[in-house]
Structure formats: structure tokens, C-alpha cells
Amino acid sequence: GGTNQVNGTIGVDTDNNIVVTYPIAEMGQGTSTGLAQCAAEELRADWDMVKVVAADWQHSGFTGGSFGLRGNMAGMRTAGAQAYDMLRQAAVDHFGTSSIDPTLSNGFTNGSSTVLYKDLVTAAAAKTPAASPALVAPANWRILGQGMARLDIPSKVDGSAVFGLDVQLPNMLYAAVRFGPTLGSTISTT
């Protein structure tokens, strides 16, 4: 289904999956999975309901090897914590009380009632995020620091991953380098 954004990094799709947009190139180091772990931890999300998508080329940065994770971990945790706070504010409005708890099904409960993130995302997106939200303490981590299955591998194995070579645009032109047939040959301009 479609995805609605809570903020520029975190979205929730119509199946209540968390969709994490990662800002760097995934070059095989598992950076996209590591960054998704950062966001999912702060969102108190179910890991099996987390998906990743690459930022569009205008918002994507270099990967820098292992720096991709180290250099973006704090920002991704903050984005996840901000999104969680915004979703929580929307849940408080929904229930009319601050007596709510997160669920492990990407939602909030109030007694016997549950509201899912997907049903809060529009209201949450209208909330103002905290500049410095509280982060989950390392002693309470469920996802960070754990060896999780890489999120980028299935699409690479089943052939559904889209690489630069796969992109086709309207009126796209193709070019190829033509080398001289012999050593030392030059290009004729006539």
C-alpha cells in the first residue's frame, strides 16, 4: 500500500509497516538495515514490520564505507524518537488521555483499546517534533545491538531491487565509449 510520512525519514504504510528512508547509498555494508534498527528502536516498532527505502537522488549522500552508519546513527535515532513523540501526541488526542502505552504491533493501547500507527500518521505529521527528544536508554534496547536479518538482501536475491542500470526515463539517450582499434590511434574529426 501507499506510505504516509510522519516526518522526512519515517513513514507508515497502509499495512501499518514502518518505512524508513535512509539517506545514503547501500553498498553492501548493511548500512540501510543498521539505520532502520536505529529508527525502529526509537519507534518501539516490531522489527518484522520495518521496511527500508533509499532517499531519492536529490537527498541521498555518499556511503563512506562504515561511516554511513556511524555518521548517521544519531540523526536516525533522533528522527525515530521525534516520529514516536509525534505519533504518541496523536494517540493522546485520539484517546483523550495520556494514559497510553506502546504496543509491539506499531500502535498504542489505552486499556482494551488499540490505535495503530497507520491510523495516527496524518494527525502525527501535523505535530511539532521535539528538537531533542528522549532516546531509548541502551539498557532498554530490543533491536539495536542485535544481529538482525538484512533488509536489503531479499530484493537483491529475488531480482526486484532497482539499480542505476535498471532505470529508464522518457527520451533517455544511451552513450558508450568507443576506443580506437589500435594502440596509439586517434579520433578523426572529419
Side-chain angles (χ1 to χ4, degrees):
T3 300
N4 293 311
Q5 294 299 120
V6 179
N7 59 29
T9 304
I10 309 298
V12 182
D13 71 15
T14 55
D15 294 325
N16 204 44
N17 294 304
I18 301 299
V19 181
V20 178
T21 302
Y22 60 93
I24 51 143
E26 171 59 76
M27 300 296 290
Q29 310 93 321
T31 306
S32 60
T33 299
L35 292 176
Q37 284 179 261
C38 294
E41 186 70 69
E42 299 304 332
L43 281 158
R44 285 81 165 165
D46 284 339
W47 180 247
D48 62 350
M49 296 176 76
V50 175
K51 298 177 184 250
V52 292
V53 296
D56 62 36
W57 66 271
Q58 293 121 328
H59 299 99
S60 185
F62 70 94
T63 187
S66 63
F67 183 76
L69 182 56
R70 287 182 292 130
N72 291 285
M73 184 176 180
M76 189 60 78
R77 287 188 67 202
T78 299
Q82 287 174 327
Y84 177 79
D85 283 351
M86 295 160 73
L87 287 161
R88 190 173 196 296
Q89 289 174 42
V92 166
D93 292 348
H94 173 83
F95 287 120
T97 178
S98 61
S99 297
I100 57 174
D101 295 307
T103 69
L104 286 181
S105 57
N106 299 348
F108 294 94
T109 60
N110 174 353
S112 61
S113 297
T114 299
V115 62
L116 300 176
Y117 285 177
K118 71 177 183 172
D119 299 319
L120 296 170
V121 67
T122 301
K127 302 293 183 186
T128 301
S132 298
L135 300 176
V136 175
N140 297 325
W141 285 354
R142 297 175 306 106
I143 297 172
L144 279 173
Q146 303 300 312
M148 301 301 211
R150 294 262 305 268
L151 299 176
D152 60 313
I153 298 299
S155 65
K156 291 175 180 174
V157 171
D158 70 18
S160 64
V162 177
F163 296 93
L165 186 64
D166 300 320
V167 175
Q168 294 185 4
L169 301 173
N171 303 316
M172 190 163 127
L173 300 175
Y174 295 87
V177 176
R178 181 174 180 187
F179 293 98
T182 60
L183 187 61
S185 60
T186 60
I187 298 174
S188 172
T189 58
T190 58

